Amino acid sequence: MAAGSHGAGAGGAVALLVVLLALPLMPVDRVAGDDPYRFFTWTVTYGDISPLGAKQQGILINGQFPGPQIEAVTNDNLIINVFNKLNDPFLLSWNGLQQRRNSFEDGVAGTTCPIPPGGNFTYILQAKDQIGTYYYFPSLAFHKAAGGFGGIRVLSRPMIPVPFPPPADDYTVLIGDWYKANHIDLKYTLDSGKDLGFPTDCSSMAAAGTATHSTSNPTYRFRISNVGLATSLNIRFQGHTMELVEVEGSHTMQTTYSSLDVHLGQSYSVLLTADQPAYDYAVVVSTRFTSKIISTTAVLRYSNSAGKAPGALPGGPTIQIDWSLNQARSIRWNLTASGPRPNPQGSYHYGLVTTTRTIRLANSATTINGKQRYAVNGVSYVNPDTPLKIADYYKISGVFSVGTISDAPSGAGSAYLQTSVMGASYRDYVEIVFENSENEVQSWHIDGYAFWVVGMDGGKWSAASRQSYNLRDAVSRYTVQVYPSSWSAIYMPLDNVGMWNVRSENWARQYLGQQFYLRVWTSSTSWRDEYPIPKNALLCGRAAGRRTRPL
Ligand SMILES: *[C@@H]1O[C@H](CO)[C@@H](O)[C@H](O)[C@H]1NC(C)=O
Ligand SMILES: *[C@@H]1O[C@H](CO)[C@@H](O)[C@H](O)[C@H]1NC(C)=O
């Protein structure tokens, strides 16, 4: 089976991108008594890419678009030396990889100094106690609109049972909307106070490895991530159903779907059995909740394919919110399956722990100084001159203050600009309610954490809404959607000390202020709670010229 490209019309402002990739195994070094190390050297350059058919400037990693995939096993150390050959400061961040005790490595503007043009920085990451599907992406400026992203998969250790038979092959499917404009022009549009505008046309691109199998009806795993900028997407495979097995690091009840909504920043693993007559089947991806639906196709090709599969392309939902809400509620954690450890996922009863704090976060669109901005609880985030985490480490005052965003929406009134940081205590167990009174779907991500999505519904959240929470088998994940005029609630144990980005995955909203940092703090200085600054940390802004640690 192979996947190839199947063109749709090109030439509009936006395209959808579907990329299927097979994975080469990376070399592993074993250090006695330690978790394995995997070493990567990545060079970031500009180069031509043609996701719409026409050439445009893209961001390549080792000459590749999308970038190389990372394959790791739970607890592996990932040592990634990134050389920046752009003429722009650059950082990569790791969507869903938790950087436990180590927010210095998170690679966002609030935690890590940018890699200067011509410079390099070695990330020291660990896939600590994680399994599942993640991706990396460039976090600064509007680089994400030019590529620079790639898949990350963390496999279970050999002794840990996985709740389904090993698939015949494992493919990464990165889907996303795509603007034809250059990322610098998109950034300029946002900087000058305007919106990016809306998808108006589409085309597609796909590439994949091939595989031959002796079994007659092989089952494949597809890891699907929405790496786009602006829209929720729906994916479906002509003539086939998908069995959902994993959501962002949690094994799910294996439910069968004919199509799946994937909101911005989200990742899903599905199993697909190739048990149909040998044809080329369309993989259809289309936008959700948009006034104009744009769609694109890739191809799922059987070996010995007799050509295009007969019949119409599978339709999917378009603007229906209830359909999506019902699907979201049907996604359940498999309590008896193991996660990164052999014990059942449900052995920690998240629903029986009493929450110590409720944080309500409301998004808004606003105008500040005549420019389009977005805000959380009335505060539109602006980056400081020094990463927050580094200012915190050196106790440099004047960069930020804790408590510059409140625990509850500010009510009516306009928003203001601020480097907003919310304080929180290590080991608190928080309930966070995302309240969306806008008519646009939202997607929220929290770095450094996974959380249980205990509830979501239309209307306004109130204390009574808790009666509808799923306190038994909600899925634990790192990105949650909030439907228009709706709320979503999560439970999150604050077990990871650090400075963590809480952000909209809608990239223009994030860029224009719909984000803040959660400072999870302890007075302990033990390395068991938080690692000190890395010895190779780059220092910038008001921390320039300081020493890190003796080598
Ligand atoms: C840059 O790369 C060199 C190896 O080429 C490495 O020794 C050095 O630690 C890297 N710099 C940083 C800041 O990680
Ligand atoms: C849940 O996981 C177990 C493995 O512990 C597996 O046997 C079972 O089939 C899974 N159930 C569903 C509904 O996916």
Side-chain angles (χ1 to χ4, degrees):
M1 185 184 68
S5 70
H6 176 78
V14 171
L16 291 175
L17 178 72
V18 180
V19 183
L20 311 180
L21 289 164
L23 188 92
L25 248 164
M26 302 306 292
V28 177
D29 280 8
R30 272 183 191 278
V31 176
D34 210 343
D35 296 310
Y37 280 72
R38 293 173 195 265
F39 295 93
F40 305 82
T41 303
W42 284 358
T43 303
V44 181
T45 57
Y46 283 125
D48 286 339
I49 58 173
S50 319
L52 302 186
K55 260 193 223 166
Q56 66 180 107
Q57 185 190 51
I59 292 178
L60 312 182
I61 297 181
N62 290 355
Q64 298 174 43
F65 167 79
Q69 293 190 80
I70 295 178
E71 176 158 319
V73 174
T74 303
N75 291 350
D76 280 1
N77 296 288
L78 306 172
I79 313 299
I80 308 173
N81 196 352
V82 178
F83 289 80
N84 176 17
K85 304 287 184 197
L86 308 182
N87 52 11
D88 223 8
F90 183 83
L91 278 178
L92 288 174
S93 188
W94 320 93
N95 214 58
L97 268 197
Q98 288 173 12
Q99 323 315 338
R100 296 197 74 78
R101 301 178 268 175
N102 208 357
S103 57
F104 289 108
E105 306 283 356
D106 200 33
V108 288
T111 60
T112 315
C113 288
I115 309 171
N120 73 292
F121 173 65
T122 308
Y123 289 89
I124 300 163
L125 313 176
Q126 189 180 19
K128 183 74 183 154
D129 293 334
Q130 290 192 273
I131 55 152
T133 305
Y134 309 93
Y135 66 86
Y136 62 86
F137 66 95
S139 64
L140 300 184
F142 220 64
H143 292 157
K144 196 180 173 194
F149 42 71
I152 303 174
R153 60 182 64 163
V154 183
L155 307 177
S156 297
R157 285 176 290 162
M159 307 312 290
I160 310 292
V162 174
F164 48 88
D169 215 332
D170 192 333
Y171 293 93
T172 290
V173 184
L174 301 177
I175 59 176
D177 47 23
W178 188 267
Y179 286 78
K180 192 178 176 184
N182 185 284
H183 68 100
I184 295 166
D185 298 334
L186 293 171
K187 179 176 177 294
Y188 179 79
T189 301
L190 295 173
D191 288 339
S192 54
K194 302 190 195 80
D195 261 324
L196 292 186
F198 191 73
T200 53
D201 199 359
C202 69
S203 80
S204 67
M205 189 195 94
T210 54
T212 33
H213 297 286
S214 44
T215 54
S216 53
N217 292 331
T219 294
Y220 298 94
R221 181 174 185 165
F222 288 86
R223 297 169 185 262
I224 303 159
S225 297
N226 184 343
V227 298
L229 304 174
T231 44
S232 298
L233 299 172
N234 179 272
I235 186 168
R236 50 215 182 256
F237 292 78
Q238 184 183 18
H240 297 78
T241 54
M242 297 171 275
E243 195 178 357
L244 184 69
V245 292
E246 181 248 341
V247 174
E248 299 169 14
S250 299
H251 287 130
T252 60
M253 297 300 275
Q254 291 159 22
T255 309
T256 300
Y257 297 97
S258 56
S259 85
L260 196 58
D261 277 353
V262 188
H263 303 277
L264 288 164
Q266 295 187 334
S267 296
Y268 291 91
S269 285
V270 300
L271 299 181
L272 180 146
T273 302
D275 57 1
Q276 296 299 305
Y279 284 114
D280 289 356
Y281 293 90
V283 183
V284 185
V285 174
S286 56
T287 59
R288 288 288 267 126
F289 322 120
T290 52
S291 52
K292 181 176 180 206
I293 303 300
I294 59 170
S295 66
T296 190
T297 56
V299 174
L300 179 70
R301 174 168 298 145
Y302 280 59
S303 47
N304 313 318
S305 165
K308 222 169 144 183
L313 296 188
T318 54
I319 55 168
Q320 302 82 349
I321 289 169
D322 283 354
W323 188 99
S324 195
L325 181 61
N326 286 335
Q327 180 171 80
R329 286 180 177 151
S330 73
I331 296 172
R332 299 296 173 103
W333 218 24
N334 183 337
L335 299 175
T336 60
S338 56
R341 281 186 286 262
N343 53 315
Q345 292 185 132
S347 58
Y348 173 75
H349 298 287
Y350 72 89
L352 301 180
V353 181
T354 310
T355 55
T356 51
R357 178 175 170 186
T358 295
I359 298 167
R360 292 165 50 218
L361 301 173
N363 50 279
S364 61
T366 182
T367 306
I368 300 178
N369 303 331
K371 292 181 172 180
Q372 178 70 58
R373 296 288 302 184
Y374 296 92
V376 192
N377 288 358
V379 189
S380 186
Y381 180 83
V382 284
N383 277 316
D385 59 9
T386 310
L388 306 166
K389 182 66 208 163
I390 290 182
D392 211 6
Y393 183 80
Y394 290 112
K395 302 187 167 47
I396 300 171
S397 61
V399 175
F400 71 93
S401 308
V402 176
T404 32
I405 176 170
S406 70
D407 269 23
S410 55
S414 56
Y416 56 92
L417 303 175
Q418 174 72 268
T419 301
S420 34
V421 178
M422 183 182 285
S425 301
Y426 183 40
R427 302 209 186 284
D428 265 5
Y429 191 68
V430 297
E431 172 192 41
I432 300 178
V433 184
F434 295 101
E435 303 182 354
N436 180 18
S437 61
E438 297 187 70
N439 60 9
E440 232 181 85
V441 65
Q442 307 291 318
S443 189
W444 283 97
H445 177 89
I446 302 181
D447 278 358
Y449 282 94
F451 44 72
W452 284 277
V453 179
V454 292
M456 52 177 69
D457 208 348
K460 227 180 140 23
W461 181 89
S462 71
S465 308
R466 292 183 176 125
Q467 280 153 26
S468 70
Y469 282 5
N470 175 357
L471 297 180
R472 208 183 93 79
D473 60 357
V475 77
S476 167
R477 61 187 310 171
Y478 51 76
T479 308
V480 63
Q481 73 273 26
V482 193
Y483 295 103
S485 305
S486 299
W487 55 268
S488 295
I490 64 171
Y491 279 6
M492 189 165 88
L494 299 187
D495 56 4
N496 195 9
V497 175
M499 186 73 79
W500 301 110
N501 192 212
V502 180
R503 63 169 174 269
S504 170
E505 286 289 309
N506 177 304
W507 222 236
R509 283 179 172 261
Q510 172 273 147
Y511 183 77
L512 294 179
Q514 192 176 322
Q515 59 168 310
F516 65 95
Y517 283 79
L518 183 69
R519 179 182 184 255
V520 179
W521 191 80
T522 171
S523 58
S524 154
T525 54
S526 164
W527 288 22
R528 262 192 300 200
D529 296 321
E530 189 179 26
Y531 295 138
I533 195 164
K535 289 172 182 167
N536 67 332
L538 301 171
L539 296 177
C540 57
R542 300 186 213 186
R546 302 240 181 180
R547 307 249 334 240
T548 53
R549 289 187 285 135
L551 290 168

